Amino acid sequence: MRFAFDGVGVSARTGDTILAAILAAGLPCGTSEFDGAARAGFCLMGSCQDCTMWDERGRRLRGCMTEVTDGQRLRSRPYDDET
């Protein structure tokens, strides 16, 4: 399967979580709000929300708890975020 994360094509296997596929591709799941450093998720079990991302409809997802869907388009920041 393939999906896009922040405009980058990512490959995944059936059953992978979004975060697992992003990390396997060597990509960060976002950036720190404090210093802009790359983030890779923290708890990996849905508690910390460090892997929060948004789909093309603007829905907020937890990358570590959501399975990849072929053709998804995801972002590390909300669509209304101007930064």
Side-chain angles (χ1 to χ4, degrees):
M1 293 191 297
R2 302 261 316 149
F3 68 100
F5 182 67
D6 285 343
V8 176
V10 180
S11 294
R13 296 172 296 172
T14 301
D16 278 353
T17 64
I18 296 166
L19 184 59
I22 288 169
L23 295 178
L27 300 171
C29 70
T31 55
S32 169
E33 61 194 64
F34 302 106
D35 63 4
R39 299 298 302 224
F42 181 72
C43 74
L44 306 179
M45 62 182 205
S47 295
C48 74
Q49 301 177 32
D50 197 47
C51 63
T52 297
M53 54 193 63
W54 288 262
D55 68 10
E56 61 189 327
R57 293 183 182 174
R59 291 180 297 192
R60 188 174 152 198
L61 306 171
R62 289 184 185 164
C64 70
M65 303 294 291
T66 307
E67 282 189 24
V68 171
T69 301
D70 194 40
Q72 278 177 308
R73 293 189 316 202
L74 305 165
R75 291 175 46 123
S76 60
R77 302 181 83 75
Y79 281 88
D80 61 346
D81 190 345
E82 305 262 337
T83 58

